[in-house]
Amino acid sequence: MTSAIVPLETFLDLPAHARLLGLDLGTKTIGLALSDLERQIATPLETIQRVKFGLDAAALLKIAAKHQVAGLVIGLPLNMDGTEGPRVQSTRAFVRNLAPLTDLPIVFWDERMSTLAVTRTLLDADASRAKRAAVVDKMAAAYILQGALDRLGRLAFTETDEDGMND
């Protein structure tokens, strides 16, 4: 078993009606979101409390198997100027260690502003600090996954349009 880090376009070749799992990797938690079977809508799923890599990976892969996930979309926390900092290095290390444990293809997705956008949405909804803390990671994962799903949808449309199938 060894998964590969692939470009998003590769996900167009995944089996139909297979879900994707979005991840927001934090230092204390991993937020998870799940796509619908048509890969159009991301829904917050749950948050894994991080313990140590082996346990975190096992929990993650168990959830992926339970939901028959076909691929992983992992948020890449780039700096605002697009450079890579320590959090990106940590995310890449997590994925390097996860890859030998699964055959699932993995895509990195720019997650800049995801937590901020989700926090603002929760503040606008007048969610308490405790409520925000409980849901922000899985909502950030949904935000990340939704961005990837939207891009996949545009890629699929472009691909079918070029084939003359969308006239």
Side-chain angles (χ1 to χ4, degrees):
M1 268 193 287
T2 297
S3 70
I5 298 167
V6 299
L8 185 65
E9 294 79 13
T10 306
F11 279 17
L12 292 172
D13 298 328
L14 291 175
H17 305 294
R19 298 176 190 272
L20 299 179
L21 188 66
L23 285 77
D24 179 41
L25 288 174
T27 55
K28 296 178 184 176
T29 61
I30 302 172
L32 302 176
L34 192 64
S35 76
D36 63 332
L37 292 172
E38 285 75 34
R39 295 195 286 262
Q40 294 181 1
I41 300 170
T43 304
L45 183 61
E46 65 181 271
T47 302
I48 297 172
Q49 295 299 316
R50 294 192 69 174
V51 182
K52 65 180 189 175
F53 175 78
L55 296 173
D56 300 344
L60 170 64
L61 295 175
K62 182 178 179 181
I63 291 165
K66 174 183 172 186
H67 293 284
Q68 299 174 332
V69 167
L72 303 175
V73 177
I74 300 182
L76 194 63
L78 298 168
N79 293 325
M80 289 307 293
D81 64 1
T83 60
E84 296 187 5
R87 288 193 56 228
V88 169
Q89 294 169 2
S90 174
T91 298
R92 289 190 188 280
F94 182 92
V95 171
R96 249 190 329 272
N97 291 326
L98 180 66
L101 305 177
T102 181
D103 289 328
L104 295 173
I106 298 171
V107 166
F108 285 120
W109 188 257
D110 184 351
E111 72 164 56
R112 281 179 280 188
M113 307 295 287
S114 61
T115 302
L116 179 61
V118 167
T119 301
R120 282 190 178 156
T121 300
L122 290 168
L123 286 170
D124 289 346
D126 207 24
S128 69
R129 184 180 302 266
K131 177 69 172 169
R132 288 193 311 267
V135 300
V136 72
D137 296 317
K138 63 185 177 183
M139 286 186 68
Y143 186 91
I144 292 162
L145 180 56
Q146 190 63 55
L149 294 174
D150 291 348
R151 178 70 179 136
L152 269 176
R154 288 190 300 277
L155 289 170
F157 177 79
T158 302
E159 190 173 273
T160 57
D161 196 38
E162 288 174 358
D163 294 341
M165 311 226 5
N166 246 4
D167 295 336

